[in-house]
Amino acid sequence: MLNFFREIYRIKELRHKVFFILIILIIFRILAAIPVPGIDIARLKSLMQNNQLIGLLNIFTGGSLDNFSLVMLGLGPYITATIILQLFTILSPRIKEMYYEEGEVGRQKFYYYAKIATIPLSILQAYGFIFFLQNQGQGIITNLTTYTLIQFIIAATTGTMILVWLSELITEKGLGNGASILIFAGIVAGLPSSIGQALSTYTPEQLPSYILFIIIGLIVIAGVIFINDAQRLIPVTYARNVRGRSLGGGVSTFIPLKINMAGVIPIIFALSLILFPAMIGGILAQSSNEIIKGIGFFLRDFQNRNFIYAVFYFALVFFFTFFYTAITFEPKEVANNLQKVGGFIPGVRPGEETAKTLSDITTKITFPGAIALGLIAILPIVVQNFTGIRTLSIGGTAILIVVSVVLETYKQIKAQITMREYERL
């Protein structure tokens, strides 16, 4: 580990990237400490401890709800907008062409439209969240006037767009996904206070619960590491060729296909969609129409229906694992690149047949990976039903995100260190 940090410090460009990301994270934590006026923070924290939805939302926003800060919504609206547009790649040939075929310019246009869609989604989510808190009946929001409501919505929308910009700056450095790193930073920042609170309220009767939590945490960590590192090696052989008087090629290598190519993104996507209906439910619950009001109460209290909630959560993680793998891994592109350099999979024709083989293999190995990731995601919720410990589900999700982000970032940094070692040789 010391050698790893020594290598980071030794390589000037990599050192600057790491320091830049640390500065961005400091800015994020400063923004998360700027509260929006008109909120009873003590009552909000009390609600967060007793409400699973608010606890998950606090994790998803990187701990920004602790004091109802400027960045209270986190990157949720932006992630939701990205999901909606990516789903439209299936329905709209124009969006599909822009995302897949126009290269980097098309991707920039795609995410530009996602930023535009983030604004109305932020307004809608802020409005729903404020009314959700107001309906809790604990006096969390004081003196809610039209002016205060507009103030809240503008502040929340501005905070989200600032976070979108900061996450893009992190992603550009090539050391991991910016959104994941910001969420990771919020979780880690809240660990000292969470540990302190757990120790201050500890009683001997709680020892079995604490031991159970530690065991589940270790299982989640081991499971995440296993599915992140597990891969299938596809053998590739390169044809022999003559260049001048030398004979080249004829070597064999492998294409490593990971069981979980999507990393932690499916969890973040699933959380985004799980939290959004509750915000909509908070708005619909204000309706005078009994049917709409009933739908609003169902959506708002959805997270309290543990079995349905767990099944829906598992299904979303399973779906987004396949979905994100499909949009990030292109078998046709890999097959074309292999054909251009004279590579082929033994027993498989180059071109279309190679692409089909890679697609079939990816589907087969992603299936168990998606199931494993979904089971890890809902494991704490299942245990909660047997133990009644509400914090387990929140802690398990946090552990899942933290471990996945650490592994992803470590591999990105290690890859850049290795690349520079080759350059030096």
Side-chain angles (χ1 to χ4, degrees):
M1 184 61 69
L2 289 176
N3 288 334
F4 176 71
F5 287 113
R6 192 180 297 115
E7 287 294 321
I8 293 176
Y9 186 79
R10 183 181 62 82
I11 302 172
K12 183 178 179 181
E13 183 182 353
L14 189 56
R15 182 173 71 243
H16 287 172
K17 288 182 178 181
V18 172
F19 284 150
F20 178 82
I21 292 175
L22 290 176
I23 292 172
I24 295 295
L25 295 182
I26 292 172
I27 294 173
F28 165 58
R29 296 312 304 164
I30 292 174
L31 293 174
I34 302 175
V36 176
I39 299 295
D40 190 323
I41 303 299
R43 293 184 178 182
L44 176 62
K45 290 185 177 181
S46 175
L47 175 64
M48 288 169 55
Q49 293 174 358
N50 300 316
N51 189 292
Q52 183 176 337
L53 172 67
I54 301 298
L56 280 173
L57 185 59
N58 188 46
I59 290 174
F60 189 63
T61 57
S64 303
L65 276 179
D66 283 339
N67 55 354
F68 212 73
S69 69
L70 178 65
V71 290
M72 67 183 86
L73 297 180
L75 288 163
Y78 177 66
I79 294 173
T80 304
T82 304
I83 295 171
I84 293 172
L85 282 180
Q86 286 176 336
L87 289 174
F88 268 104
T89 59
I90 302 173
L91 304 175
S92 172
R94 176 66 190 95
I95 297 179
K96 182 178 181 179
E97 179 184 352
M98 177 176 61
Y99 189 79
Y100 289 110
E101 300 176 10
E102 294 184 5
E104 187 61 29
V105 175
R107 294 288 178 95
Q108 289 179 0
K109 288 181 183 177
F110 179 88
Y111 288 111
Y112 173 75
Y113 294 140
K115 292 174 196 172
I116 294 176
T118 299
I119 297 175
L121 287 175
S122 298
I123 294 172
L124 182 63
Q125 191 166 330
Y127 182 80
F129 183 58
I130 289 167
F131 276 96
F132 174 81
L133 291 180
Q134 190 182 32
N135 291 336
Q136 296 305 306
Q138 299 184 21
I140 297 174
I141 299 180
T142 58
N143 300 322
L144 182 61
T145 63
T146 302
Y147 173 77
T148 307
L149 178 62
I150 294 174
Q151 185 183 38
F152 282 154
I153 292 175
I154 292 176
T157 303
T158 303
T160 295
M161 298 310 296
I162 292 174
L163 286 189
V164 170
W165 176 56
L166 294 179
S167 69
E168 286 188 340
L169 292 178
I170 294 176
T171 303
E172 287 174 1
K173 295 301 177 181
L175 299 183
N177 182 277
S180 303
I181 291 175
L182 288 179
I183 295 172
F184 162 81
I187 295 172
V188 172
L191 282 179
S193 61
S194 299
I195 294 174
Q197 183 180 6
L199 294 176
S200 64
T201 58
Y202 171 78
T203 59
E205 292 79 12
Q206 292 178 315
L207 182 60
S209 300
Y210 280 72
I211 294 175
L212 181 61
F213 181 81
I214 292 173
I215 292 173
I216 292 175
L218 293 176
I219 292 173
V220 171
I221 291 172
V224 172
I225 293 174
F226 174 76
I227 64 174
N228 271 279
D229 289 344
Q231 58 186 13
R232 178 173 175 179
L233 301 178
I234 310 300
V236 174
T237 301
Y238 291 91
R240 291 182 176 274
N241 54 74
V242 178
R243 294 183 179 178
R245 296 184 177 181
S246 62
L247 182 65
V251 297
S252 296
T253 183
F254 297 94
I255 299 176
L257 296 181
K258 297 179 65 175
I259 289 180
N260 178 29
M261 296 185 188
V264 73
I265 299 299
I267 302 294
I268 296 177
F269 278 11
L271 283 176
S272 176
L273 289 191
I274 280 179
L275 296 172
F276 194 71
M279 301 300 122
I280 300 295
I283 299 174
L284 298 180
Q286 303 296 314
S287 174
S288 57
N289 186 294
E290 290 300 324
I291 297 178
I292 296 178
K293 190 174 183 179
I295 295 174
F297 281 126
F298 176 83
L299 292 176
R300 194 188 67 180
D301 300 330
F302 177 70
Q303 79 282 353
N304 295 327
R305 299 171 173 85
N306 287 328
F307 177 75
I308 300 176
Y309 172 78
V311 171
F312 187 60
Y313 188 16
F314 175 87
L316 283 177
V317 173
F318 184 86
F319 168 75
F320 280 122
T321 303
F322 271 95
F323 177 72
Y324 196 76
T325 300
I327 66 175
T328 54
F329 179 73
E330 277 291 320
K332 288 185 179 180
E333 185 178 346
V334 175
N336 291 335
N337 290 338
L338 281 177
Q339 192 172 14
K340 288 177 183 177
V341 297
F344 61 92
I345 299 174
V348 181
R349 290 178 178 274
E352 289 292 332
E353 191 172 332
T354 297
K356 185 178 183 303
T357 300
L358 290 174
S359 179
D360 292 342
I361 293 174
T362 302
T363 301
K364 290 177 182 177
I365 65 175
T366 302
F367 183 79
I371 291 178
L373 192 62
L375 290 176
I376 290 174
I378 68 170
L379 176 63
I381 302 175
V382 174
V383 175
Q384 176 193 332
N385 288 332
F386 291 98
T387 63
I389 307 172
R390 185 173 295 275
T391 54
L392 280 175
S393 61
I394 299 174
T397 304
I399 291 172
L400 185 61
I401 294 175
V402 167
V403 175
S404 298
V405 172
V406 168
L407 287 175
E408 180 185 356
T409 305
Y410 172 78
K411 289 178 180 178
Q412 294 280 357
I413 295 176
K414 195 70 177 176
Q416 295 207 19
I417 291 175
T418 304
M419 182 178 66
R420 283 162 177 77
E421 287 294 330
Y422 281 125
E423 290 176 355
R424 190 171 61 178
L425 290 174

